[in-house]
Amino acid sequence: MAQVQATKFKNPVVNWIDSRLPIFTMLDHEYNHYPMPRNVNYLWAFGAIAGIMLVIMIATGLFLAMQYSSHTSLAFDSVERIMRDVNYGWLIRYVHANGASMFFIAVYIHMFRGLYYGSYKAPREILWILGVLIFLVMMGTAFMGYVLPWGQMSFWGATVITNLFSAFPIVGDPIVTLLWGGFSVDNPTLNRFFALHFLLPFVLLGLVILHTAALHVCGSNNPLGIDPKGPQDTVPFNPYVTVKDGFAVVIFMIIFAVFVFFMPNYMGHPDNYIPANPLVTPAHIVPEWYFLPFYAMLRAIPDKLGGVLAMFGSIALLFFLPWLDRSKVRSCKFRPVYRQFFWILAIDALILGYAGSQPAEGSWLIIARIGTFYYFFHFLVLLPVLGKLERPRPLPNSISESVLKGGGAIAAGAHAKPMEKA
């Protein structure tokens, strides 16, 4: 194998390591000279923001685990001790608790950006599937983490959600018993959830590494949804994208800090400051806000098994999105009809989220059912049908032409170009 030239890096130690394990060459190629489409906007920064939030969550979680006691008689008091007696424990816990919400905000924006600009289409199918897997593992990790403070919402949230598996015939009850470690949510349940909550972030980290590797194989999408045709369509990742991402990260962290220092409990539930009591059921059991749209779907269907299938199915169908959308054009910028339905989907998700926070009765139950119907109708009917029937607007000839000349579309009336392979 050819040796790396000694002059490649100024540091002789780095050169010595790199000639034997070319990790620095790989990093230089992937994060310094890596070509990025020159028209990416600030929405592309939320992938990097989500990665930074994952690192913050792992770091703060590690320190919290050193002081936490995963026993039903000690868990609630150990969290209060972290808040009151451990040096900077209040800060670490508030960063971790609010970090979960900020992590989900970054990921939801990242996902909806992918939906809007068609980042799930060829050749990025594996990239999208890995992203959905990350989302699933995130949800499992967050749910188990919410149980650990062992407040009222922790206990009853665990009871309600784990009970859902009993809806599955034959295998349901054994799964619930396995999750509980007994015949109700108790100390074995808390121990298992703590162990899994500690383990899953490292699984998540591995999936993020695979997600990033897959991205660097097929390349980043861009707002136009067309592939770069040469060096004129791209810029080096560093310094152009790093500066842009860095600015977005600073703004995001300022907003994060506002929640941590000025309203740390804004996104939590006051009932979780009451110790868990199996004999007192809260008047209204609600999960964390980032689960609310799926919780609304669960409650919208009167049949227990139907509700569970709808909740899990709403996520499962995202795996098949690259094949459900039959349009040859990626970006909604050139799909005027579908663009309207995309914004209806975004509003539908917000309405489902609010409906999930309300009691499952009266008008909110009807709204949740309508919202659930539209969610599945959007992906299973509208997306495939519009892909065949909609006539997209003409695509630009290239990224650089669109950026530098303010348009550069093909002559009016011409058919949109099909996507080109990366």
Side-chain angles (χ1 to χ4, degrees):
M1 188 172 66
Q3 294 291 315
V4 178
Q5 294 181 4
T7 56
K8 184 166 181 61
F9 298 102
K10 293 180 180 179
N11 191 312
V13 177
V14 170
N15 264 328
W16 184 86
I17 295 171
D18 199 67
S19 64
R20 290 152 179 82
L21 181 66
I23 187 169
F24 295 103
T25 297
M26 184 271 290
L27 291 173
D28 182 59
H29 172 72
E30 298 296 337
Y31 294 101
N32 195 19
H33 302 295
Y34 177 75
M36 285 286 292
R38 66 189 304 160
N39 62 333
V40 293
N41 56 39
Y42 280 107
L43 290 174
W44 264 257
F46 282 94
I49 289 170
I52 291 170
M53 289 309 305
L54 174 61
V55 172
I56 290 172
M57 294 299 290
I58 290 174
T60 53
L62 181 64
F63 286 110
L64 289 172
M66 295 175 186
Q67 303 290 340
Y68 176 75
S69 298
S70 59
H71 192 283
T72 52
S73 62
L74 300 173
F76 186 86
D77 290 335
S78 72
V79 173
E80 290 304 307
R81 178 181 169 273
I82 289 169
M83 294 293 293
R84 298 166 187 269
D85 297 336
V86 175
N87 289 336
Y88 297 103
W90 63 272
L91 178 60
I92 296 170
R93 194 211 166 195
Y94 279 153
V95 168
H96 194 75
N98 287 280
S101 290
M102 302 306 287
F103 193 7
F104 269 95
I105 288 171
V107 167
Y108 277 133
I109 294 173
H110 189 59
M111 289 175 68
F112 272 91
R113 187 268 294 166
L115 289 172
Y116 187 85
Y117 292 116
S119 298
Y120 49 84
K121 295 187 180 183
R124 299 180 178 88
E125 299 95 332
I126 297 297
L127 178 67
W128 175 261
I129 289 170
L130 285 169
V132 178
L133 280 173
I134 289 169
F135 182 55
L136 272 175
V137 175
M138 272 182 67
M139 294 180 80
T141 307
F143 166 65
M144 291 174 188
Y146 190 55
V147 174
L148 300 186
W150 211 240
Q152 275 288 74
M153 277 300 153
S154 298
F155 176 84
W156 288 102
T159 302
V160 169
I161 300 302
T162 52
N163 251 315
L164 297 179
F165 291 95
S166 66
F168 295 108
I170 303 173
V171 298
D173 288 332
I175 290 174
V176 173
T177 305
L178 182 66
L179 287 171
W180 285 350
F183 300 101
S184 65
V185 174
D186 208 341
N187 200 60
T189 318
L190 184 61
N191 266 316
R192 291 169 189 214
F193 278 25
F194 177 56
L196 289 170
H197 184 67
F198 193 90
L199 170 68
L200 285 177
F202 297 99
V203 176
L204 194 58
L205 184 62
L207 286 171
V208 168
I209 291 170
L210 285 176
H211 187 65
T212 307
L215 171 68
H216 283 230
V217 170
C218 58
S220 292
N221 192 22
N222 61 85
L224 295 177
I226 59 176
D227 296 321
K229 294 179 172 61
Q232 72 278 4
D233 290 340
T234 62
V235 292
F237 188 86
N238 186 54
Y240 298 99
V241 181
T242 50
V243 170
K244 200 168 191 174
D245 284 1
F247 178 74
V249 167
V250 169
I251 299 300
F252 189 85
M253 289 301 162
I254 290 171
I255 297 170
F256 183 21
V258 169
F259 279 100
V260 169
F261 293 107
F262 295 101
M263 39 181 148
N265 296 303
Y266 182 78
M267 290 183 278
H269 198 287
D271 279 8
N272 229 29
Y273 280 94
I274 303 171
N277 187 347
L279 302 178
V280 179
T281 308
H284 182 36
I285 300 171
V286 289
E288 288 282 71
W289 69 267
Y290 35 79
F291 295 137
L292 289 176
F294 307 101
Y295 190 56
M297 293 181 191
L298 169 72
R299 300 186 307 172
I301 298 174
D303 179 67
K304 184 178 180 180
L305 179 59
V308 173
L309 290 175
M311 183 179 71
F312 288 120
S314 65
I315 302 169
L317 67 81
L318 294 176
F319 285 105
F320 303 98
L321 193 57
W323 298 277
L324 288 171
D325 188 352
R326 310 300 294 275
S327 175
K328 297 297 183 183
V329 174
R330 293 188 186 120
S331 178
C332 277
K333 286 170 71 75
F334 304 100
R335 300 181 63 188
V337 178
Y338 177 65
R339 182 165 64 238
Q340 310 307 317
F341 288 107
F342 169 85
W343 289 114
I344 292 173
L345 175 70
I347 294 167
D348 180 58
L350 293 173
I351 291 172
L352 277 172
Y354 190 76
S357 70
Q358 302 302 307
E361 57 191 24
S363 59
W364 284 112
L365 185 58
I366 297 169
I367 290 169
R369 287 173 179 169
I370 295 170
T372 302
F373 170 79
Y374 181 78
Y375 181 89
F376 287 97
F377 178 75
H378 178 94
F379 287 111
L380 296 176
V381 179
L382 269 178
L383 206 56
V385 170
L386 281 177
K388 288 291 186 181
L389 299 182
E390 182 182 18
R391 184 173 182 179
R393 289 170 49 205
L395 295 176
N397 292 316
S398 69
I399 294 172
S400 59
E401 185 174 318
S402 176
V403 170
L404 299 177
K405 296 184 179 179
I410 313 171
H415 293 290
K417 292 181 180 178
M419 292 183 302
E420 296 151 352
K421 294 181 180 179

